[in-house]
Amino acid sequence: MLQDHPLLPWIVFPLVGALIGYATNWLAVKMLFRPRQPWGAGVLKFQGVVPRRQEALADSISETVQDELISPEDVAELVQKIATSEDVRQKLQSKVDALIAEQLQSLGPMASFLPGDLVDRIKLRIEQEIFSFVEEMGHDLHGVLGSKLDVKGKVRERIMNFELDQMEQLVLKVARKELRHIEILGGFLGLAVGLVEAGLLQLWN
């Protein structure tokens, strides 16, 4: 039959190869997440890669986040910078000004007897004490957070609490295009194998 139709192998083999290659890679992508629960028995028990390795993935990702992205020391340093930033100082200063003005207003006419420079000195003194307290608190928080904050544990806990549907959607949202390319690549590789087989068959005959 093949001898009667010499072009048939060049059509059938590549087509079948492309279908098999595409289907194989499509199945491999699906098996990243499915089956969700172990299926089968003994050595023939199957489970999706992500469900089976969720704990190991959580350990690896959480360790990477803490070591490479954001450590407890980074968080502590950020908190200290925020606490001692110029923006915080300005907001505290505005609060002090408003508080002093409110207290002076509550004194009524008696407030006019207070020397202006005295009010300014009181205001400055209060601001200095507050700024000093905030800076000390920032340093204290830096020490406490640096030693107590468990970034790795928090990230690991969040990942372990992920529903598998959530994790699948997260991965697909990030890597849908790449996974699709893997499926298509399987089709092209199968097509190439089919062409090689057709060529070998042609030489054999």
Side-chain angles (χ1 to χ4, degrees), residues 40-115:
V43 295
L44 297 179
K45 184 179 290 186
F46 299 99
Q47 187 179 12
V49 175
V50 172
R52 188 176 72 250
R53 301 282 294 168
Q54 184 174 6
E55 187 171 350
L57 285 170
D59 288 335
S60 178
I61 293 173
S62 59
E63 186 172 344
T64 300
V65 169
Q66 177 167 290
D67 293 344
E68 305 295 338
L69 298 180
I70 179 167
S71 66
E73 291 75 16
D74 294 331
V75 177
E77 185 176 349
L78 177 61
V79 170
Q80 184 179 1
K81 285 182 178 180
I82 293 174
T84 58
S85 66
E86 185 62 28
D87 184 54
V88 171
R89 291 177 68 91
Q90 290 178 358
K91 289 181 178 179
L92 289 174
Q93 193 171 17
S94 297
K95 291 290 185 181
V96 171
D97 291 344
L99 179 62
I100 295 295
E102 182 181 342
Q103 294 301 316
L104 289 175
Q105 187 176 8
S106 67
L107 294 176
M110 293 181 60
S112 60
F113 293 100
L114 293 175

Side-chain angles (χ1 to χ4, degrees), residues 59-185:
D59 288 335
S60 178
I61 293 173
S62 59
E63 186 172 344
T64 300
V65 169
Q66 177 167 290
D67 293 344
E68 305 295 338
L69 298 180
I70 179 167
S71 66
E73 291 75 16
D74 294 331
V75 177
E77 185 176 349
L78 177 61
V79 170
Q80 184 179 1
K81 285 182 178 180
I82 293 174
T84 58
S85 66
E86 185 62 28
D87 184 54
V88 171
R89 291 177 68 91
Q90 290 178 358
K91 289 181 178 179
L92 289 174
Q93 193 171 17
S94 297
K95 291 290 185 181
V96 171
D97 291 344
L99 179 62
I100 295 295
E102 182 181 342
Q103 294 301 316
L104 289 175
Q105 187 176 8
S106 67
L107 294 176
M110 293 181 60
S112 60
F113 293 100
L114 293 175
D117 62 332
L118 176 61
V119 175
D120 291 337
R121 288 200 303 271
I122 293 174
K123 186 188 302 183
L124 180 62
R125 182 61 179 173
I126 293 175
E127 290 173 355
Q128 288 174 343
E129 290 296 329
I130 292 177
F131 295 156
S132 177
F133 170 75
V134 170
E135 288 182 1
E136 290 178 6
M137 185 176 64
H139 286 293
D140 292 342
L141 284 174
H142 185 281
V144 171
L145 289 175
S147 60
K148 299 294 184 181
L149 185 61
D150 184 11
V151 174
K152 179 180 177 180
K154 292 295 183 182
V155 174
R156 185 184 188 280
E157 181 181 355
R158 290 293 298 273
I159 295 175
M160 289 301 297
N161 288 335
F162 265 12
E163 295 290 338
L164 291 175
D165 284 336
Q166 288 179 291
M167 188 169 291
E168 181 177 3
Q169 291 303 317
L170 178 63
V171 172
L172 291 178
K173 184 177 181 180
V174 174
R176 184 184 301 274
K177 184 177 180 180
E178 288 75 12
L179 294 176
R180 181 63 175 166
H181 286 169
I182 290 174
E183 296 172 359
I184 295 173
L185 179 61

